[in-house]
Amino acid sequence: GDVFALSPASFDFSRTNTKDSRITFTRASSGTFVDADGLIKSAATNTPRFDHDPVTGKSLGLLIEEARTNIFLKSEKLNEWVVGNGSSVTANQAVAPDGTNTADRVQHGSGGSSWIRQDVLTSGTTYTVSVYAKAVTPGTNDQFTFDLGGLSSIFVATGEWKRFTYTGTASNASIYLNNGDDSFATDVYFWGAQVEEGSFATSYTPTDSSSVTRAADIVDITGTNFSSFYNTTEGTFFGDLTGPSGFGFIAHNGSNDFRHGFAVTSGTPFAVISSIANHLGVAPTLIKNGGKFAYGYKANDYGAFGDGVNLPGTSPTTVPTGVNELALGYRGSYQANAFLNGHIKRLSYFPTRLADALLQSITF
């Protein structure tokens, strides 16, 4: 039978696309996501985002991100940027990724000064710039670059909308969308320009006359909603999640001293953490950005598997005490940081320490 049927708390976000009533969710702003129809849509304040692959429409699960600010102005009005003499921008020439006729046609000449730009950066700061692009005529004049102190590699737009991203360190205030080495003409539809501090792109935040901040997604299970299913002496967590950083989930008592769950180490690998006082316990890493993880805990009997592979580690002699909250996709309310910046497809809890063979089988 289905082992997940034995779980008193199994949150299958990618299947249900709904928030379980036991979950507390807040986000102090709207936020965008890709709906099942492939279109970018906006979720209202305090409304969770169930994201989808824009090409296949496949559900990705619950999107959880840190706060980020799009400092580009006029993110969908590129005709109002500073336009170089060798370029032209014609507004609202194609249907954009959100289904509206707001994509702008940007044409760069083959001579010098072919660019559009904004002066919004701070020198020495690392930014990630992103934009949705689609070739006017695929295979012809379909290239472009970003420049925020150094050229990105040349990007090639296709006949379908695609989001292109580039991370670099600003050398001055200016950021350019241009044709690279000035030796070729380009003709591309653009929409949804974003530049944000950080080393990776997050979901698109539209702007007009000022920068706009998307607040963090705060997801918790607390009080009796948590204690009703949590076993203080033994149990098993299962997670199917993906993200570049932060915590997948963490059961904690309001401090770093007594907590356990899944986290992401520096870079991209996930780690399984059993953290008691001095962060003792299981802390291996996976050479994969996301996947299925199962972690069983019991005094002197900890076990963890990722993608069917045993994750060896030391078994602490005790179990974290006073645990009263489960934080999803971030460190927890006591220290609201280390966000997953990704998706939780499924999160399940079992009030018993499942056998290793079962941990292995559910993570393949």
Side-chain angles (χ1 to χ4, degrees):
D2 181 8
V3 66
F4 292 101
L6 304 175
S7 168
S10 189
F11 310 101
D12 194 350
F13 298 121
S14 66
R15 186 179 300 244
T16 63
N17 280 263
T18 57
K19 181 184 76 68
D20 188 284
S21 61
R22 290 169 288 185
I23 295 174
T24 300
F25 180 92
T26 62
R27 185 187 58 252
S29 73
S30 60
T32 67
F33 66 102
V34 178
D35 209 348
D37 59 7
L39 296 179
I40 294 176
K41 297 180 182 177
S42 180
T45 299
N46 296 331
T47 303
R49 296 177 290 167
F50 297 97
D51 209 16
H52 298 76
D53 184 291
V55 176
T56 66
K58 182 179 178 180
S59 177
L60 300 175
L62 176 64
L63 176 60
I64 301 175
E65 296 182 303
E66 65 190 53
R68 284 286 187 92
T69 301
N70 184 1
I71 63 173
F72 261 143
L73 312 182
K74 312 288 185 178
S75 66
E76 298 169 21
K77 298 177 181 178
L78 281 67
N79 57 305
E80 297 184 26
W81 293 23
V82 179
V83 179
N85 293 331
S87 302
S88 67
V89 184
T90 312
N92 305 331
Q93 294 297 296
V95 177
D98 67 347
T100 64
N101 194 59
T102 51
D104 299 336
R105 183 178 183 178
V106 178
Q107 295 169 280
H108 294 310
S110 59
S113 69
S114 296
W115 46 259
I116 61 173
R117 80 161 204 271
Q118 287 195 26
D119 299 331
V120 293
L121 306 183
T122 300
S123 182
T125 300
T126 297
Y127 296 94
T128 296
V129 58
S130 55
V131 72
Y132 292 86
K134 179 181 177 181
V136 174
T137 306
T140 305
N141 297 345
D142 49 9
Q143 301 178 8
F144 65 95
T145 65
F146 296 115
D147 186 353
L148 58 151
L151 285 180
S152 68
S153 59
I154 292 175
F155 294 106
V156 178
T158 69
E160 304 295 331
W161 283 109
K162 181 181 176 182
R163 194 185 197 194
F164 296 85
T165 68
Y166 170 65
T167 300
T169 301
S171 60
N172 53 53
S174 298
I175 178 169
Y176 296 85
L177 180 60
N178 60 16
N179 62 350
D181 61 9
D182 291 333
S183 64
F184 51 87
T186 60
D187 190 4
V188 179
Y189 296 123
F190 290 107
W191 181 87
Q194 180 155 302
V195 62
E196 51 194 312
E197 286 191 38
S199 59
F200 54 88
T202 64
S203 61
Y204 170 58
T205 299
T207 68
D208 193 13
S209 57
S210 61
S211 62
V212 175
T213 299
R214 181 200 63 252
D217 299 286
I218 306 295
V219 192
D220 295 289
I221 304 175
T222 62
T224 56
N225 288 330
F226 176 70
S227 61
S228 63
F229 65 76
Y230 180 73
N231 185 342
T232 59
T233 58
E234 64 173 299
T236 300
F237 287 102
F238 168 86
D240 185 353
L241 55 157
T242 304
S245 65
F247 281 82
F249 59 85
I250 198 84
H252 65 87
N253 73 341
S255 76
N256 274 338
D257 292 338
F258 296 95
R259 59 185 183 145
H260 52 172
F262 293 127
V264 186
T265 61
S266 58
T268 55
F270 272 89
V272 183
I273 297 178
S274 164
S275 184
I276 301 172
N278 295 314
H279 296 208
L280 302 173
V282 196
T285 59
L286 287 179
I287 312 172
K288 183 180 177 184
N289 186 8
K292 295 178 180 178
F293 304 85
Y295 155 69
Y297 66 92
K298 191 176 183 179
N300 297 299
D301 182 20
Y302 282 66
F305 282 78
D307 293 333
V309 178
N310 181 38
L311 304 177
T314 305
S315 287
T317 58
T318 59
V319 173
T321 57
V323 173
N324 58 11
E325 178 176 342
L326 181 63
L328 280 65
Y330 81 122
R331 192 188 299 271
S333 57
Y334 66 98
Q335 193 174 358
N337 59 14
F339 285 82
L340 179 66
N341 293 305
H343 302 90
I344 297 180
K345 294 180 180 178
R346 187 173 197 169
L347 175 61
S348 299
Y349 176 81
F350 303 86
T352 57
R353 198 299 205 188
L354 298 181
D356 282 357
L358 196 49
L359 299 184
Q360 183 176 30
S361 68
I362 62 177
T363 59
F364 271 119

